[in-house]
Amino acid sequence: MNCKQLNSIGLEEVLVFLGHLPTRQNEKEAWYLSPFGPESNASFKVDRPKNLWYLFSQGTGGTTTDFIQKYFNISVKGALEWASKQNFSSFHQQAKPLKSHPNYHIDRIMDIAHPNLISYLYERGLSGKVYPFIKELWFTIENKQLYAVGFKNNSEGWELRNAFYKGALHKKDITVLSFPKETESVSNNKTQKNTTNQKIAVFEGFTDALSFIEMQKSFEGDLLVLNSTAMLQKALALLDSYFEISLFLDNDPAGRECARKILKAYPHAKDFSHVYSDHKDLNEYLIAKKKHHSHVTINTPTTTTAKNEHIEKQNECREETNRIKKRVRRRM
């Protein structure tokens, strides 16, 4: 993918993928609350025919490439790499005119039950231990019903994942929750700091937070999930009241930049990305760790047993051969 191809991707599709919905729209333009920070009046405009954006509150704008760079605070190369990993329909169907914002609605919210989602979580190294922190969401987009693992944020929005889909519904925001899980439902993710917790662990995405939960045995404190690096400024304000801050951000330019800014604001914070330095993020590290553990605990004993059985059979053969030889000598 190059910049020309990236700029052909519809801005509206990128925005809905990131969980941003227009406040008003017509055939020529769509208006949004700023995707880069909180505001009360929509000042972010998308020019539909030209596929360009302009943020009046900051006096800046540009192409799809420019938007992704600013949203994730990454380079052009980083923007191209990020977009190439997504499955934007407007890139694969460039001859089609830009569509208006698709209609969507949430149909059901329930505990994790679908076998495909359980399998997806298992492939990500996640067990039933993390189920209290997530939900199974059934939702409809453009008359297509989908289901995904849902992770709720502090503004009642949802991060959504399954084996073939990555997206968000409603407003984008951070998520703050307690670990071990408190007695209330996951739908009551805290919007305010629990003053009884002095520790907090910070993650970029919710699969990393779930990986942390999967691996932890003794941590008690809050978990903060950015859900987007664009939420960093909001997170920085919340971190002020914590005495112990642990960072588990991605090992990529955006993640390292987030860690740098947090460490600059809070020098007592500790960056633990070195623990999984050979992997992109904490979830990738967990997957690799579980695969290695599986090899050691399952394959090795099986191999050892097979070898022992083979040795026993060899010994039995030798003993039987010796008995036959002794009988032959006696007859001679």
Side-chain angles (χ1 to χ4, degrees):
M1 181 181 288
N2 55 39
C3 286
K4 183 178 180 180
Q5 292 172 317
L6 177 52
N7 289 335
S8 71
I9 296 174
L11 276 165
E12 289 180 275
E13 185 174 3
V14 175
L15 285 161
V16 72
F17 177 84
L18 296 170
H20 301 285
L21 310 177
T23 59
R24 65 182 189 277
Q25 56 189 320
N26 56 42
E27 291 183 0
K28 294 184 178 180
E29 61 191 34
W31 288 84
Y32 299 76
L33 294 172
S34 172
F36 308 115
E39 68 176 12
S40 55
N41 297 314
S43 68
F44 184 92
K45 184 183 83 169
V46 172
D47 186 317
R48 285 177 161 173
K50 296 180 180 179
N51 195 37
L52 297 173
W53 62 276
Y54 191 80
L55 182 60
F56 286 86
S57 60
Q58 295 183 9
T60 184
T63 63
T64 304
T65 303
D66 297 321
F67 173 80
I68 294 171
Q69 277 188 265
K70 182 175 174 61
Y71 192 88
F72 293 109
N73 192 24
I74 54 178
S75 64
V76 172
K77 181 181 178 182
L80 294 172
E81 289 176 350
W82 178 83
S84 65
K85 295 176 183 177
Q86 318 309 324
N87 189 29
F88 292 117
S89 62
S90 54
F91 171 67
H92 298 290
Q93 304 171 7
Q94 295 173 23
K96 286 189 175 184
L98 291 173
K99 296 179 180 181
S100 61
H101 188 277
N103 294 322
Y104 76 91
H105 58 86
I106 295 174
D107 304 310
R108 279 186 292 163
I109 301 174
M110 55 190 287
D111 292 335
I112 298 293
H114 199 288
N116 289 345
L117 296 184
I118 293 173
S119 176
Y120 165 72
L121 291 167
Y122 177 80
E123 291 298 321
R124 302 299 294 263
L126 303 170
S127 70
K129 184 178 180 180
V130 306
Y131 290 4
F133 298 88
I134 51 181
K135 288 290 184 182
E136 178 177 315
L137 256 72
W138 289 74
F139 55 101
T140 301
I141 295 182
E142 292 188 323
N143 298 319
K144 289 183 180 179
Q145 189 175 59
L146 305 169
Y147 58 89
V149 175
F151 183 74
K152 202 169 190 180
N153 66 36
N154 286 4
S155 292
E156 305 297 311
W158 292 90
E159 298 295 315
L160 302 171
R161 301 287 186 277
N162 64 33
F164 309 102
Y165 179 84
K166 179 180 179 181
L169 288 179
H170 300 327
K171 188 176 179 180
K172 202 82 171 177
D173 199 356
I174 62 172
T175 302
V176 182
L177 49 83
S178 291
F179 180 77
K181 187 178 182 298
E182 296 174 344
T183 55
E184 68 268 20
S185 167
V186 71
S187 63
N188 292 329
N189 283 348
K190 297 178 298 179
T191 57
Q192 293 183 349
K193 167 76 177 66
N194 179 355
T195 55
T196 61
N197 283 333
Q198 297 179 339
K199 298 180 180 179
I200 192 165
V202 183
F203 309 89
E204 193 168 325
F206 79 83
T207 53
D208 294 322
L210 296 180
S211 300
F212 179 82
I213 292 169
E214 185 75 29
M215 292 186 285
Q216 277 301 316
K217 295 180 180 179
S218 60
F219 180 86
E220 290 189 8
D222 288 345
L223 307 183
L224 187 157
V225 185
L226 297 176
N227 293 318
S228 167
T229 53
M231 297 290 108
L232 179 60
Q233 288 302 317
K234 187 169 187 177
L236 284 172
L238 182 141
L239 291 173
D240 186 57
S241 52
Y242 289 90
F243 293 102
E244 187 175 314
I245 303 170
S246 301
L247 308 181
F248 296 89
L249 299 165
D250 291 3
N251 281 317
D252 61 13
R256 285 190 284 271
E257 180 63 14
C258 278
R260 185 190 68 79
K261 289 181 177 178
I262 293 174
L263 288 165
K264 183 179 179 181
Y266 303 102
H268 65 283
K270 295 180 181 179
D271 184 2
F272 286 91
S273 60
H274 64 277
V275 173
Y276 47 97
S277 58
D278 294 333
H279 304 275
K280 177 184 176 294
D281 54 35
L282 192 61
N283 181 248
E284 191 176 284
Y285 169 74
L286 172 64
I287 294 170
K289 186 177 179 181
K290 287 210 168 187
K291 283 182 179 178
H292 175 72
H293 181 68
S294 173
H295 174 76
V296 171
T297 58
I298 298 175
N299 296 337
T300 301
T302 303
T303 304
T304 302
T305 302
K307 286 182 178 179
N308 289 338
E309 289 177 353
H310 178 68
I311 292 170
E312 288 176 4
K313 286 180 180 179
Q314 281 185 327
N315 291 335
E316 289 175 0
C317 287
R318 289 195 191 99
E319 290 174 1
E320 181 63 24
T321 301
N322 290 334
R323 283 195 293 269
I324 293 171
K325 284 181 179 180
K326 285 179 181 179
R327 285 198 296 267
V328 170
R329 288 194 194 100
R330 286 172 187 161
R331 288 174 184 172
M332 291 176 64

